[in-house]
Amino acid sequence: MTKVSVLFFGATADEVGDREVDLELPENSRAEDALARIVERFPRLAAHKLLFAVNQEYASGAEIIGDGDELAVFTAVSGG
Amino acid sequence: MTKVSVLFFGATADEVGDREVDLELPENSRAEDALARIVERFPRLAAHKLLFAVNQEYASGAEIIGDGDELAVFTAVSGG
Amino acid sequence: MTEEIRDDFYEITAAPLDVGAIARRVVPASCGAIVTLDGFVRQFTRGRETEYLVYEAYEPMALKEMEKLGAAARERFAIECVTIVHRTGRLEIGETSVVIAVAAPHRRAAFEACEWLIKELKSTVPIWKKEVYADGETWIEGAN
Amino acid sequence: MTEEIRDDFYEITAAPLDVGAIARRVVPASCGAIVTLDGFVRQFTRGRETEYLVYEAYEPMALKEMEKLGAAARERFAIECVTIVHRTGRLEIGETSVVIAVAAPHRRAAFEACEWLIKELKSTVPIWKKEVYADGETWIEGAN
């Protein structure tokens, strides 16, 4: 299994009730699979249009997730 | 006769060697006549493209000059 | 010739922003203009009164995205120096949330780059805004 | 509905300019952005090194022309507040000669108005610049 941290911010942190959770994924999971698993675990996230980052870079979905990677799930940004 | 002050700034003050001179003009002179008379008196001004103001407004040339008016002769502006 | 310039500055901070100091942190000798955008908390948005805002950032990623924007702006515009600072935490009405300052030899490029940078920041840099009203609060979700 | 707003500010001064303080003199509650142009003395112009500049203004006329520009900008752009301050006298390299700050509800109008104002100021406001070099000096004459 691949162990990763998943970070949440703003609206997604409120939905999850936490700012960081640990997650185990099958070996060689892709980013899109990881995101699907996170939404499955925290179904209230499905109410939002979600963006997804792996190791502090926006993910296309095809990235292979490795042990210790930092994932992040958040809504469309609204800074400025 | 109409008595006016004529102000000079920057390059025109250097050419005239003064920042303000008194000038007498025939009654009902127009701004363009006043400017011509000033250049006649200070011929070094003719080396410059000149702008002309009457009472702190850009003059078109047709304005009638009155007693006590404030004239100003200067080169194209270069502030900023 | 692309000479590397090390004066760009990107920061995320919970401290109040001093716009003038940020904008004049670097004044390159080759430049004649700095264009600054000061984005601040407005009292009324869509007719509703805001009491205050809370900004939250995914800090390390936000800094990386700001750096990418600065580098992209240098590619697109003839500019010399980019500064981007974003505040986080609770901001009262009128307080500055973001400062973008661009120094350039000629002002046109500085205006263009500054406007481009704020537009891009608002769509790519992972920072979120919560609007707090007298009767509730809501995290704002961006357009894309 | 054109509501008269009294917060515009025009000044000519021989004192050093504090760009941040000038830009934030007025922060209208209806606005969310201030765009500022900070024009300053560059060291090299057309490859020649400047030692310092001297600015001279026809002050009462320059203030009137600034006010006209501010009024014209309000007609053309959806802006809330205009500030224009120009310095006179001797200015060293890097010192600010002019600050134009525009507050607006939306940043696009603030960028447009600020850029328009500096372009117009450079062609209409009676202020002149003398460049002083190691081996001489010259009053700069504008393009029109």
Side-chain angles (χ1 to χ4, degrees):
Chain A
M1 297 294 274
T2 299
K3 294 184 179 181
V4 299
S5 299
V6 187
L7 307 181
F8 303 96
F9 299 91
T12 61
D14 284 358
E15 296 291 18
V16 167
D18 211 340
R19 308 188 71 75
E20 180 170 358
V21 302
D22 295 327
L23 186 70
E24 293 200 341
L25 296 166
E27 299 280 336
N28 296 319
S29 291
R30 285 147 49 110
E32 61 193 5
D33 304 325
L35 178 59
R37 187 170 287 242
I38 294 163
V39 175
E40 197 174 44
R41 179 157 155 201
F42 303 105
R44 292 175 59 182
L45 291 175
H48 301 269
K49 178 153 185 263
L50 297 174
L51 300 179
F52 191 51
V54 177
N55 295 330
Q56 304 166 6
E57 300 281 347
Y58 284 106
S60 70
E63 294 81 357
I64 302 297
I65 304 299
D67 215 43
D69 280 355
E70 177 178 296
L71 314 188
V73 178
F74 45 81
T75 58
V77 306
S78 57
Chain B
M1 297 294 273
T2 299
K3 294 184 180 181
V4 298
S5 299
V6 187
L7 307 181
F8 303 97
F9 299 90
T12 60
D14 285 358
E15 294 292 18
V16 167
D18 211 339
R19 308 189 70 77
E20 180 170 358
V21 302
D22 294 328
L23 185 71
E24 293 201 341
L25 296 167
E27 299 280 335
N28 297 319
S29 291
R30 285 146 51 110
E32 59 194 6
D33 303 325
L35 178 58
R37 186 169 287 239
I38 293 163
V39 176
E40 196 175 44
R41 179 159 155 199
F42 303 105
R44 291 176 60 183
L45 290 175
H48 300 268
K49 179 155 185 260
L50 298 174
L51 299 179
F52 192 50
V54 176
N55 294 330
Q56 302 167 8
E57 301 281 348
Y58 284 106
S60 70
E63 294 82 355
I64 301 298
I65 305 299
D67 216 43
D69 279 356
E70 177 179 297
L71 314 189
V73 178
F74 45 81
T75 58
V77 306
S78 56
Chain C
M1 195 181 73
T2 310
E3 193 183 327
E4 196 69 25
I5 295 177
R6 300 278 173 204
D7 291 334
D8 290 350
F9 187 86
Y10 308 97
E11 187 180 12
I12 293 172
T13 175
L17 304 187
D18 177 339
V19 181
I22 292 167
R24 299 217 110 226
R25 199 189 301 266
V26 179
V27 181
S30 57
C31 290
I34 297 171
V35 170
T36 306
L37 172 81
D38 168 358
F40 57 90
V41 181
R42 82 172 88 196
Q43 190 166 8
F44 295 96
T45 299
R46 298 175 294 275
R48 192 170 187 188
E49 183 169 1
T50 300
E51 295 214 324
Y52 61 92
L53 296 186
V54 177
Y55 282 92
E56 181 178 328
Y58 182 9
E59 283 201 24
M61 181 172 170
L63 286 169
K64 285 185 190 178
E65 291 292 323
M66 285 179 181
E67 285 166 24
K68 284 183 198 170
L69 288 184
R74 292 179 165 294
E75 294 283 319
R76 296 170 71 102
F77 307 102
I79 59 176
E80 199 73 13
C81 179
V82 172
T83 302
I84 305 176
V85 183
H86 204 297
R87 191 169 160 200
T88 53
R90 173 174 169 153
L91 275 75
E92 309 301 327
I93 303 300
E95 287 194 301
T96 297
S97 54
V98 63
V99 177
I100 299 180
V102 179
H106 300 286
R107 65 181 190 275
R108 180 87 260 270
F111 275 109
E112 285 183 336
C114 190
E115 189 166 11
W116 183 83
L117 282 163
I118 181 64
K119 179 173 66 64
E120 294 295 312
L121 179 146
K122 282 171 172 275
S123 71
T124 65
V125 176
I127 300 176
W128 302 269
K129 173 170 66 177
K130 181 164 71 175
E131 295 184 348
V132 180
Y133 320 106
D135 60 348
E137 57 180 54
T138 183
W139 283 105
I140 304 303
E141 303 189 19
N144 55 318
Chain D
M1 195 181 72
T2 311
E3 192 183 325
E4 197 68 28
I5 295 175
R6 299 281 173 200
D7 291 334
D8 290 349
F9 187 86
Y10 308 97
E11 187 181 12
I12 293 172
T13 175
L17 304 187
D18 178 339
V19 181
I22 292 167
R24 297 218 110 227
R25 200 189 299 267
V26 179
V27 182
S30 57
C31 290
I34 297 172
V35 171
T36 305
L37 173 81
D38 168 358
F40 56 90
V41 181
R42 83 172 87 196
Q43 191 167 7
F44 294 96
T45 299
R46 297 176 294 278
R48 191 169 187 188
E49 182 168 3
T50 300
E51 295 216 322
Y52 61 91
L53 296 186
V54 176
Y55 282 93
E56 181 177 328
Y58 182 8
E59 283 201 25
M61 181 172 170
L63 287 169
K64 284 185 190 179
E65 291 292 322
M66 286 179 181
E67 285 166 23
K68 284 183 199 170
L69 288 184
R74 293 180 164 294
E75 294 283 318
R76 296 170 74 101
F77 307 101
I79 59 177
E80 199 73 12
C81 180
V82 172
T83 301
I84 304 176
V85 182
H86 204 297
R87 190 168 162 201
T88 53
R90 174 174 169 155
L91 276 75
E92 309 301 327
I93 304 300
E95 286 195 301
T96 296
S97 55
V98 63
V99 178
I100 299 180
V102 179
H106 300 287
R107 66 181 190 275
R108 181 87 261 268
F111 276 108
E112 285 183 335
C114 190
E115 190 166 9
W116 183 83
L117 282 163
I118 182 62
K119 179 172 64 68
E120 293 294 312
L121 178 146
K122 283 171 172 276
S123 71
T124 66
V125 176
I127 300 177
W128 302 270
K129 173 169 66 177
K130 182 164 70 175
E131 294 183 350
V132 180
Y133 319 106
D135 60 348
E137 57 179 54
T138 182
W139 283 105
I140 304 303
E141 303 191 19
N144 55 320

